Amino acid sequence: QRIMNKIKLLFAILLTCFIAYHSGHAQTIEERVSRLEKEVFGDSTITLTYPTRDNVLLEYPSASIIQGLYGTPYKNAVSDYVIYYYWNDLTSGRSYPLVGTSKLKYWDMKDPQAVTGGAESVFQFKGEIYASNHTWENGKCFQKTLKSTNGKNFLPLSNKMELGEDGSFTVVGDEVYWFIRPSAYTAQGKPNRVIGLKRSTDMIAWTATQTVLIPDAQDIAENKDFYEMSVIKTGNDFFGFLMVYQKGNSGQDAEQIPPYTANEQTVSIQLCHSLDGITWRRLNNRKDFITRPAGIHQQYCSSFIDGNTVKFLVSESPARHARDSVKDIFKMVIYSIPLAELLKFK
């Protein structure tokens, strides 16, 4: 591929020189060659800035732990962020879905209240609060959408649909894009988790699932699946924050038992880009977009735009994504990147 690019560049340079010579603009040849090099090889002069770790919003104390987020934060009437999360009581072994408010500062979660109805992936659309809920029946996973009038009590809205258990919602104008992990899928003869898309204008009637991101040959060779993807839209650009599951070195799924090598049974966040939410490009050479700190083996994120900044609420855990790993304990951490810096990755 590199050789072909060089051949294309050489041809383009010769053509540019010919046109410039005959049009009397020989002084612009160097500028035109520079532009062509950037188009073919990328602009090596751009310095990329990655999300910074701002602060810990919630951490696990001795008796209770955070299990994770289950929604996209949105602002309430007094401009506090509304955040949905699970709180585990280690004494009773029970998990409690809660909703609280925060200004996204260190340990700044106020007024936690119980949430009913099995809400997951909570978000705001046209001033209303919606969510999804998944259930397992006879080995199959089903999803339905929910609605709440107060942000705490959710009731069923749509009929159930056979889908995977993880997903997120993105508002695009008058539509909702539901980036979902479909049920069992086979790519190149090997089961893989993929990313699908459903669309709706009312959260009740949904388009058929369209597969938009599939692990390719490189991913399959590296035993990687796509767990879920949080998506933002800014201008004409969609940015996807793809949670990539690194299975065992021999392809073991969550049934793998210790010992583990460094990256087995981990989940990391990569960056993708699209102009329509359907056709996606992997960016940043598939490297981690949000740095996974030492000792952290799983990261899951919810992304949103706050003014000129993109913010991420990231659930981080030292546990590996395996049933025989340590207890699933998470802390909730805020990361951010200026929107202008994110756009440089395109």
Side-chain angles (χ1 to χ4, degrees), residues 52-258:
T52 57
R53 186 183 177 93
D54 294 344
N55 59 67
V56 175
L57 182 60
L58 282 174
E59 201 161 3
Y60 29 82
S62 57
S64 301
I65 57 177
I66 303 301
Q67 187 179 19
L69 298 164
Y70 63 100
T72 301
Y74 59 87
K75 285 187 175 180
N76 61 15
V78 295
S79 294
D80 285 344
Y81 273 103
V82 179
I83 297 175
Y84 291 81
Y85 62 101
Y86 288 106
W87 188 267
N88 283 1
D89 187 323
L90 294 184
T91 303
S92 66
R94 295 184 61 187
S95 174
Y96 299 93
L98 300 178
V99 58
T101 58
S102 171
K103 294 187 182 298
L104 304 185
K105 298 179 180 179
Y106 179 75
W107 264 103
D108 175 40
M109 284 291 286
K110 302 184 294 292
D111 194 27
Q113 299 182 49
V115 175
T116 65
E120 303 162 348
S121 302
V122 184
F123 76 111
Q124 189 177 51
F125 176 49
K126 295 181 179 179
E128 305 281 359
I129 310 304
Y130 296 92
S132 62
N133 169 262
H134 83 276
T135 55
W136 285 90
E137 301 174 23
N138 300 318
K140 294 182 178 181
C141 185
F142 294 88
Q143 290 264 14
K144 61 177 177 289
T145 57
L146 313 173
K147 185 177 180 180
S148 173
T149 57
N150 60 10
K152 294 180 293 184
N153 308 111
F154 286 82
L155 296 173
L157 186 64
S158 73
N159 294 324
K160 65 181 182 182
M161 299 162 274
E162 186 178 347
L163 294 168
E165 58 183 331
D166 294 294
S168 66
F169 296 102
T170 301
V171 176
V172 181
D174 290 328
E175 272 192 302
V176 174
Y177 283 36
W178 190 3
F179 292 95
I180 190 75
R181 172 152 51 91
S183 297
Y185 187 94
T186 299
Q188 300 186 23
K190 187 174 181 179
N192 288 277
R193 297 169 177 88
V194 306
I195 304 298
L197 171 64
K198 300 178 79 68
R199 297 161 63 176
S200 175
T201 57
D202 60 8
M203 293 291 293
I204 299 174
W206 291 90
T207 60
T209 303
Q210 182 176 4
T211 303
V212 296
L213 262 174
I214 306 173
D216 61 17
Q218 179 179 334
D219 296 306
I220 293 173
E222 295 173 352
N223 295 305
K224 292 179 178 177
D225 281 358
F226 301 158
Y227 221 78
E228 56 183 302
M229 185 166 67
S230 176
V231 177
I232 62 168
K233 186 176 188 297
T234 173
N236 294 321
D237 297 299
F238 290 82
F239 285 96
F241 307 100
L242 180 66
M243 285 149 264
V244 179
Y245 169 37
Q246 172 71 67
K247 296 185 290 189
N249 291 340
S250 298
Q252 307 99 310
D253 212 287
E255 75 281 356
Q256 185 179 5
I257 61 174

